[in-house]
Amino acid sequence: MLSHAVKPANRHQWISEAAYYKALARKFEPGKELADWLEAELDYSNMLITLYIYILEEDGAITILSLQQLAEFIGIKNSEDILSEIELIRAIQNAAGHRPCFQPGINMNCEAMECQWRAECRKLISAWY
């Protein structure tokens, strides 16, 4: 699914270029290089998640394999060992700097209005009723 659009080898290059432009925007003020890099990593993860969800809307259902691939692309180690869709999505949310709240429970309302996973999460909750 994502392998057609993203190559894992390009991750480092994308992040380093984004970090450079973040530094440029702040006129290369010293001492903030790590913050630029970490912010660029989060931007990369969120960009891939957005792309994944867009492709998901076009192609159909979430699969364990595609979630494992997404997790690997954003840098989650041993993603192939996580065999639960819910746990994979929570790990992806965590790696992207979001509260890992996917499918919180049947009696819990989702308050994360801007969450990238909101539509998929609500589909699962509606299936419970």
Side-chain angles (χ1 to χ4, degrees):
M1 173 192 252
L2 276 176
S3 60
H4 300 310
V6 179
K7 303 267 190 262
N10 294 338
R11 180 179 191 272
H12 187 271
Q13 180 180 350
W14 193 100
I15 293 169
S16 63
E17 288 178 13
Y20 169 81
Y21 286 109
K22 288 179 183 301
L24 178 65
R26 61 174 178 72
K27 299 184 179 9
F28 298 103
E29 181 183 341
K32 297 190 178 178
E33 297 83 3
L34 180 59
D36 291 336
W37 186 270
L38 295 174
E39 190 177 328
E41 282 185 332
L42 289 177
D43 290 348
Y44 180 80
S45 295
N46 284 307
M47 182 263 310
L48 283 185
I49 292 167
T50 300
L51 177 61
Y52 175 84
I53 291 171
Y54 176 77
I55 293 170
L56 180 66
E57 290 170 357
E58 295 290 318
D59 290 348
I62 291 175
T63 67
I64 294 286
L65 185 60
S66 64
L67 285 170
Q68 288 170 332
Q69 185 179 54
L70 172 61
E72 180 185 337
F73 285 157
I74 65 172
I76 296 173
K77 304 288 186 217
N78 303 316
S79 61
E80 69 279 357
D81 295 336
I82 305 172
L83 302 177
S84 160
E85 289 178 12
I86 295 168
E87 292 307 314
L88 276 162
I89 293 172
R90 287 179 180 164
I92 291 165
Q93 287 176 317
N94 193 45
H98 302 286
R99 185 172 57 94
C101 64
F102 188 78
Q103 197 179 358
I106 192 165
N107 295 322
M108 297 182 74
N109 291 325
C110 179
E111 297 174 8
M113 301 306 273
E114 300 299 319
C115 179
Q116 296 165 303
W117 298 99
R118 185 172 173 76
E120 289 303 314
C121 187
R122 293 186 55 80
K123 282 181 198 175
L124 289 174
I125 290 171
S126 68
W128 291 337
Y129 289 104

